[in-house]
Amino acid sequence: MPPMGRPAKVILDRVKALQGERANWESWWQSLAKYCLPRKAEITEKKSSGTEFDADVYDSTAIESANIFAAGLMGYFTNPHTPWLRLRASEAALQEADGVREFFDHASEILHQTFHGSNFYDQLHEFYLEYGVFGTSGFYSEEDAMDRVRYYNRTIRELCFDEDERGRLQTVYRTFELTAQQAEGRWGEAAGPSVAKLIKDKRGEQKLEFVQCVGPRARYDPKKRDKANKPTFSIWIAVQDARKIDEGGFEEQPFHVARSSKVASEKHGYAPAMNVLPEIRMANKIAMVLIRASMKATDPPVMLPHENYLTPLDFNPGAVNYRLQSTGASSEEQVQFLDHKGNLAVGEERLLATQQTIKRGFFTDLFLLLADRGKEMTAYEVSELMGERMLILGPMLGRLQNELLEPVIVRTFNILLRTGRLGEVPGALLSSPEYQVEYVSVLARAQQQAQVKGITNFLLIAGEMAKLDPQV
């Protein structure tokens, strides 16, 4: 059905259905956020701004590990201070055509400048945090007069989405809130009767719910440039009025959703945090018990005889307590500390082992090792250093490239190209504009090196087997 023919109710019903489908995921995300990302622990709970984190979290290993995971990806995969991508023509012969290499080198430099001059890296760090904790994270990019392109991390709490038959992102539904004043400022009278009533009643600060639906347009005329003839439609709906308030369009899908790892039959991803959630809960429980045990050891409970002492007793330093005078008092009538027979060392040892498992789950050992060794390392050295850890991290990096970085790079490149910021396109590219993105960061090169090493090892093994059996 064409986007303009989609009633608002149809879209809202689809949003409700998708939210129902992911109810189990939301419960999981809430638990993960509580222990790993408490400032975003409002998946199933609404919290006022500045609300204190849950008081029953006693171990911060998961919180620290999630931050190291995000910082590690930022520093070694998309470092703001070093080039981490470059563009080139898809065909080697085309790359050597007149002006092509120079054009893509210049475009790569402009891309880096655009990312660095905007809010890209601020929002990317937030994306990485959710990527490591929730396993599914959203990103949004739009053209901006000041920054060329503006970027936003869209938390999974706001997003529902449909996939196509190949498991690729198709239609995105974002549910969010605006105050009546903000909605009127954006859409004016088109914002709907609920907004108008709140403004009239001088309650413009009250929040209302809206939905943005973005997906591929079924039919459009590419020769026309109006918003109704863009390849990607964008529909805005006022939920409280169940009515469409605006429609726009984009040349490309502005939403980008990436999954850490994924089961083919499911839409949402599995995060590193999910793999170690049992250990995260265990560490929290052990830490709580150790705190109680430490308090007992430093301020132990006491045993009192039933008679003779004037209560309440004062256990502060230098305090004086009185007892009734008696004759023949035995030791049992004295105040005694209760020996609880706990073993703090065993608990501390178990907590340390559990914390190490959590850290490995977030690859903190890998990222901290890279930091300790310094920045001057070749891809081969990094690959050798990381060993089998690269085999685990590699597929996640591949999904990150395919589902986030490449769509963002392509959209940014196209925006810069349409606005004339990339200069004149070489004639050789006009008939064959295909290009590819090469990733040249420390982790990307180590990933490539690990793949080469795997092939080499396979060939060596095959060669040894061939000596035993020539048919191999």
Side-chain angles (χ1 to χ4, degrees):
M1 184 184 297
M4 284 303 292
R6 295 187 183 188
K9 185 178 183 304
V10 173
I11 294 177
L12 293 179
D13 286 347
R14 183 56 185 157
V15 171
K16 186 175 181 180
L18 290 171
Q19 290 174 340
E21 290 175 7
R22 71 176 202 175
N24 290 337
W25 289 94
E26 289 180 350
S27 177
W28 204 355
W29 295 334
Q30 181 67 31
S31 296
L32 291 162
K34 173 182 176 179
Y35 295 111
C36 306
L37 199 54
R39 61 186 173 86
K40 295 193 177 186
E42 47 182 358
I43 307 297
T44 59
E45 304 173 7
K46 279 199 172 184
K47 298 182 179 181
S48 301
S49 178
T51 300
E52 186 178 355
F53 298 158
D54 283 340
D56 59 342
V57 175
Y58 302 96
D59 184 82
S60 61
T61 303
I63 298 174
E64 180 183 1
S65 298
N67 279 284
I68 292 175
F69 175 82
L73 288 180
M74 181 69 75
Y76 297 104
F77 199 50
T78 53
N79 193 317
H81 305 295
T82 59
W84 52 270
L85 74 93
R86 70 172 165 245
L87 304 180
R88 57 172 290 118
S90 298
E91 299 178 3
L94 182 59
Q95 176 71 3
E96 302 304 323
D98 186 30
V100 171
R101 181 184 295 276
E102 292 76 11
F103 172 78
F104 282 124
D105 288 346
H106 174 68
S108 302
E109 183 178 350
I110 297 298
L111 277 171
H112 281 293
Q113 291 175 2
T114 301
F115 291 148
H116 201 273
S118 67
N119 65 336
F120 175 75
Y121 292 108
D122 296 336
Q123 297 299 306
L124 187 61
H125 182 263
E126 289 295 308
F127 176 94
Y128 284 153
L129 280 171
E130 293 196 8
Y131 190 71
V133 173
F134 301 138
T136 305
S137 188
F139 210 67
Y140 182 83
S141 53
E142 66 179 8
E143 188 173 342
D144 184 79
M146 184 177 298
D147 293 337
R148 302 179 184 174
V149 186
R150 196 78 177 163
Y151 305 91
Y152 302 93
N153 167 233
R154 295 305 189 196
T155 179
I156 189 57
R157 176 174 59 87
E158 297 181 347
L159 300 182
C160 294
F161 54 92
D162 284 314
E163 296 179 323
D164 63 14
E165 71 284 357
R166 302 180 69 179
R168 299 174 302 184
L169 184 68
Q170 186 176 50
T171 304
V172 178
Y173 307 85
R174 179 189 171 221
T175 303
F176 62 101
E177 291 182 336
L178 292 176
T179 65
Q181 189 172 356
Q182 290 171 331
E184 185 193 42
R186 177 159 190 165
W187 293 294
E189 295 181 357
S194 295
V195 170
K197 186 176 187 306
L198 289 174
I199 295 297
K200 182 179 179 181
D201 295 344
K202 300 188 182 303
R203 291 187 293 150
E205 73 285 352
Q206 184 170 324
K207 290 185 176 181
L208 297 170
E209 197 170 71
F210 298 86
V211 167
Q212 181 187 12
C213 175
V214 181
R217 196 183 300 274
R219 294 190 296 272
Y220 66 96
D221 186 350
K223 296 180 181 179
K224 297 181 179 179
R225 308 304 301 170
D226 60 299
K227 64 181 182 180
N229 283 285
K230 300 283 187 180
T232 302
F233 70 82
S234 176
I235 297 174
W236 304 82
I237 295 171
V239 175
Q240 57 283 344
D241 300 322
R243 63 178 281 179
K244 188 184 303 181
I245 59 177
D246 194 13
E247 183 190 9
F250 302 97
E251 295 293 339
E252 307 88 15
Q253 170 64 267
F255 282 101
H256 320 286
V257 178
R259 286 69 62 94
S260 300
S261 62
K262 182 176 174 290
V263 176
S265 60
E266 297 178 329
K267 288 189 291 189
H268 298 95
Y270 290 85
M274 293 175 171
N275 296 330
V276 291
L277 183 57
E279 285 76 13
I280 292 172
R281 286 174 169 151
M282 185 188 302
N284 191 67
K285 189 69 173 180
I286 294 173
M288 181 189 71
V289 172
L290 281 175
I291 290 170
R292 294 180 60 192
S294 299
M295 293 172 67
K296 289 178 183 178
T298 55
D299 188 13
V302 296
M303 292 189 300
L304 290 175
H306 187 264
E307 298 177 343
N308 294 339
Y309 284 90
L310 301 179
T311 58
L313 296 181
D314 186 351
F315 290 97
N316 290 315
V320 177
N321 291 280
Y322 296 92
R323 64 187 296 270
L324 297 177
Q325 185 177 6
S326 62
T327 58
S330 65
S331 61
E332 285 76 10
E333 293 180 339
Q334 306 301 316
V335 176
Q336 300 180 41
F337 289 106
L338 181 63
D339 187 2
H340 57 86
K341 300 294 184 181
N343 193 330
L344 284 173
V346 173
E348 290 171 347
E349 182 179 344
R350 182 57 181 158
L351 178 60
L352 182 61
T354 305
Q355 289 173 333
Q356 290 300 322
T357 301
I358 295 170
K359 292 176 181 179
R360 281 182 61 84
F362 280 97
F363 302 94
T364 59
D365 55 330
L366 184 153
F367 292 125
L368 292 179
L369 186 59
L370 288 175
D372 290 341
R373 293 297 182 94
K375 298 180 180 179
E376 301 300 325
M377 297 179 65
T378 66
Y380 177 79
E381 290 172 333
V382 173
S383 178
E384 287 294 309
L385 183 66
M386 295 160 82
E388 80 284 354
R389 304 290 284 152
M390 192 66 230
L391 298 177
I392 302 173
L393 184 60
M396 189 185 304
L397 298 180
R399 291 195 70 93
L400 195 56
Q401 291 172 352
N402 294 333
E403 295 188 334
L404 173 71
L405 295 180
E406 187 163 333
V408 170
I409 291 168
V410 169
R411 175 156 167 75
T412 303
F413 176 89
N414 290 343
I415 290 175
L416 296 173
L417 186 63
R418 287 193 294 267
T419 55
R421 297 185 181 274
L422 298 183
E424 185 177 353
V425 179
L429 291 175
L430 296 178
S431 58
S432 181
E434 302 295 330
Y435 65 93
Q436 63 185 34
V437 182
E438 291 184 350
Y439 299 94
V440 294
S441 65
V442 172
L443 282 180
R445 288 185 286 113
Q447 181 184 12
Q448 296 163 6
Q449 186 67 37
Q451 293 173 347
V452 172
K453 181 180 177 182
I455 295 173
T456 303
N457 290 341
F458 171 77
L459 293 176
L460 289 174
I461 294 173
E464 293 298 319
M465 293 176 64
K467 294 178 180 178
L468 301 176
D469 184 355
Q471 294 183 351
V472 172

